[in-house]
Amino acid sequence: MDYILETKNLTKNIKNENIIKGLSLKVPKGETYGLLGPNGAGKSTTMKLLCGLLKPSEGEVIFKGKPWSRDTLNKIGVLIESPAIYGNLTAKENMLIHACMLGVSENEITRVLKLLKIDKTGKKKVSNFSLGMKQRLGIAIALLGNPDLIILDEPTNGLDPIGIQELRDLIKRLNENQITVLVSSHNLAEIQHIASYIGIIINGKLKYEGEINDTDDLETIFMNVTKE
C-alpha cells in the first residue's frame, strides 16, 4: 500500500491537557479517508497538526515518505472551518488574490473553477452565493497549485441535500484526478458515501483504522468502537 500521509505517535498537549495521544494514521494515496469521532474527540486538532497550523508536542507527520516541512504546504490544500473568502469580490477575483500569493497562473484559476463548476458565476459577488457555492469556492482555493492532498474539516456543515450531493460528486472527481482527500466528520452516513478508508478517534486516541465498502455497516463499527 502506498501511503501519501502518515503520522507516528502524534501527540498534542494544550494548557497541560493531553488532547491528541500517540496518533498513528496511514492515509492511502488517491483515496478518500474519513476521520471520524464524536464532538470533542480531537478531529479538528488533528487536522491542524497535519497542515502545520499547530506544532506537535511529540511525534511526527510524514508526507510522501518525508518528514513534514514548510515545503509540504505546496502540495497540500486545506479547508478548515470557514473558507477565507471576500464577500464583496467575485469568485474569480477571490481566486486571483490567492493565486498571486501562491505564484500560480490565471490558467490554473480557469482549470480549478471549471473543475468545481463555478466558472460561469461571472460578476456575481460571493456574498450572494449559497452556502454550498461558498464551500465549493473554498475548496477551489485549496486546489490552486494542483495539490496531491486536500484536507477538509466537516465540509458538509450547514449544506442542504443538494449541496451535500454536489460535494460527494466533487470528491469523487478529485479521486479520479489522483488527488487524495482527508475529510473529518461526525456524520457517519456521509462518510459511508464518500470514503474508502476510515480512522476513528475517541478521546484523542486512534481506536480503529481500516478499509470500508458499501456493504459495511459503519454505524455498527463506530458504536462498537465507542463502547470499547
Side-chain angles (χ1 to χ4, degrees), residues 16-68:
N16 297 321
E17 184 179 356
N18 193 199
I19 306 297
I20 303 299
K21 306 165 184 174
L23 207 63
S24 294
L25 299 173
K26 292 185 176 182
V27 179
K29 184 179 180 180
E31 305 284 349
T32 293
Y33 184 108
L35 189 62
L36 293 168
N39 289 332
K43 301 186 302 297
S44 293
T45 300
T46 299
M47 293 294 202
K48 291 175 181 178
L49 287 166
L50 296 178
C51 64
L53 290 175
L54 290 176
K55 185 178 180 180
S57 301
E58 293 180 31
E60 61 180 340
V61 178
I62 306 296
F63 180 72
K64 298 178 74 171
K66 297 180 180 179
W68 194 98

Side-chain angles (χ1 to χ4, degrees), residues 9-227:
N9 194 37
L10 196 63
T11 300
K12 182 60 181 178
N13 301 319
I14 299 177
K15 295 182 179 179
N16 297 321
E17 184 179 356
N18 193 199
I19 306 297
I20 303 299
K21 306 165 184 174
L23 207 63
S24 294
L25 299 173
K26 292 185 176 182
V27 179
K29 184 179 180 180
E31 305 284 349
T32 293
Y33 184 108
L35 189 62
L36 293 168
N39 289 332
K43 301 186 302 297
S44 293
T45 300
T46 299
M47 293 294 202
K48 291 175 181 178
L49 287 166
L50 296 178
C51 64
L53 290 175
L54 290 176
K55 185 178 180 180
S57 301
E58 293 180 31
E60 61 180 340
V61 178
I62 306 296
F63 180 72
K64 298 178 74 171
K66 297 180 180 179
W68 194 98
S69 68
R70 297 296 298 178
D71 291 339
T72 301
L73 292 175
N74 296 328
K75 287 299 180 181
I76 296 180
V78 180
L79 178 57
I80 293 179
E81 299 170 348
S82 300
I85 53 180
Y86 299 91
N88 62 325
L89 302 179
T90 67
K92 186 171 183 180
E93 287 168 345
N94 270 279
M95 295 285 280
L96 280 167
I97 291 172
H98 290 273
C100 183
M101 289 188 292
L102 292 170
V104 300
S105 69
E106 194 164 335
N107 288 337
E108 171 68 0
I109 294 174
T110 301
R111 180 189 73 82
V112 174
L113 288 175
K114 286 182 178 178
L115 178 65
L116 273 292
K117 297 184 178 179
I118 50 175
D119 55 314
K120 301 187 186 302
T121 54
K123 295 183 179 180
K124 186 176 182 178
K125 303 297 184 184
V126 170
S127 58
N128 296 320
F129 281 15
S130 67
L131 184 57
M133 288 285 285
K134 290 177 181 176
Q135 282 287 78
R136 268 199 273 172
L137 178 57
I139 296 172
I141 291 169
L143 282 169
L144 282 172
N146 200 25
D148 297 317
L149 171 69
I150 294 290
I151 295 176
L152 306 175
D153 186 25
E154 301 282 3
T156 60
N157 275 357
L159 295 186
D160 60 20
I162 293 175
I164 289 173
Q165 184 59 55
E166 289 175 344
L167 183 65
R168 289 178 191 168
D169 294 340
L170 169 62
I171 288 175
K172 183 179 179 180
R173 291 200 304 275
L174 294 178
N175 287 161
E176 289 171 351
N177 282 275
Q178 297 303 305
I179 297 173
T180 306
V181 180
L182 175 60
V183 54
S184 78
S185 182
H186 59 267
N187 188 329
L188 301 181
E190 194 51 44
I191 291 295
Q192 182 87 62
H193 280 291
I194 62 175
S196 49
Y197 288 82
I198 62 165
I200 299 176
I201 296 179
I202 307 291
N203 294 324
K205 294 182 179 180
L206 183 65
K207 293 293 188 178
Y208 180 92
E209 187 176 56
E211 187 174 4
I212 61 166
N213 54 54
D214 293 337
T215 60
D216 289 325
D217 186 341
L218 185 52
E219 184 175 354
T220 298
I221 294 172
F222 185 83
M223 294 308 297
N224 286 340
V225 171
T226 303
K227 289 175 184 177

